[in-house]
Amino acid sequence: MISTQVRQSDTNVIVWNCEDPKGKTWELDRSMSSGGWFQIKYTGPTQESFDLCVAGQTPGGARDFGSGSQFYLWRCLEDDPTQQFRWTGSRHAGGRHTDGGRAMSWRQNPKYCLDAEDFSNGDKAIAYGCTTQLLDHQIWAVL
């Protein structure tokens, strides 16, 4: 599950266990996207007066985003490809809490997927090359 420690613009997105829902309430929002893409909108308490979405940056931008770069929260913007994701690849076999999951590719550069990097609390949620090998750290599901 992805999580945030501080809920304000420019907060880095991290991995955290599912036991406590605090800081881990998200919505896959298609209202400001098109063509099957969606934004991952944070729906918990925030210090901002606007909605926050998971975002990345273009290479050479403020964060010089590429493989291994950490996703972060930013003001939700209409049709912004740096904030849009899509389910991709085959469905992973389900576990006891889900019916499986799939990878999420990033619209700004679809060769990158949302990746958990590792499974320890506090690890980065990063951009990493999408693979057909169904890496566990690239499989996401709606609970």
Side-chain angles (χ1 to χ4, degrees):
M1 173 164 297
I2 55 177
S3 179
T4 61
Q5 294 276 342
V6 178
R7 286 151 302 277
Q8 62 189 25
S9 191
D10 210 28
T11 297
N12 288 325
V13 178
I14 59 173
V15 177
W16 208 265
N17 70 44
C18 298
E19 301 303 316
D20 178 5
K22 184 177 181 183
K24 296 172 252 171
T25 52
W26 306 90
E27 174 184 322
L28 303 183
D29 185 359
R30 297 186 192 308
S31 69
M32 295 199 307
S33 303
S34 59
W37 297 95
F38 53 83
Q39 290 172 300
I40 305 171
K41 182 166 68 173
Y42 178 71
T43 58
T46 177
Q47 298 172 4
E48 304 291 4
S49 60
F50 46 81
D51 290 332
L52 296 171
C53 288
V54 174
Q57 181 57 266
T58 57
R63 288 185 175 234
D64 199 21
F65 212 80
S67 182
S69 295
Q70 188 169 10
F71 285 102
Y72 57 97
L73 294 180
W74 197 254
R75 180 183 202 138
C76 297
L77 301 170
E78 189 169 344
D79 282 324
D80 179 356
T82 69
Q83 295 181 356
Q84 295 177 0
F85 298 84
R86 158 188 299 183
W87 296 113
T88 187
S90 302
R91 184 171 293 281
H92 187 266
R96 64 185 182 123
H97 297 294
T98 71
D99 63 351
R102 296 172 71 185
M104 284 189 212
S105 63
W106 183 47
R107 187 172 189 176
Q108 179 66 32
N109 188 337
K111 75 176 185 179
Y112 292 131
C113 282
L114 179 64
D115 189 292
E117 187 178 48
D118 204 350
F119 295 113
S120 298
N121 288 342
D123 287 336
K124 299 174 183 178
I126 63 169
Y128 194 75
C130 297
T131 176
T132 58
Q133 297 172 352
L134 292 174
L135 299 174
D136 285 343
H137 45 89
Q138 288 185 352
I139 301 300
W140 303 94
V142 177
L143 301 178

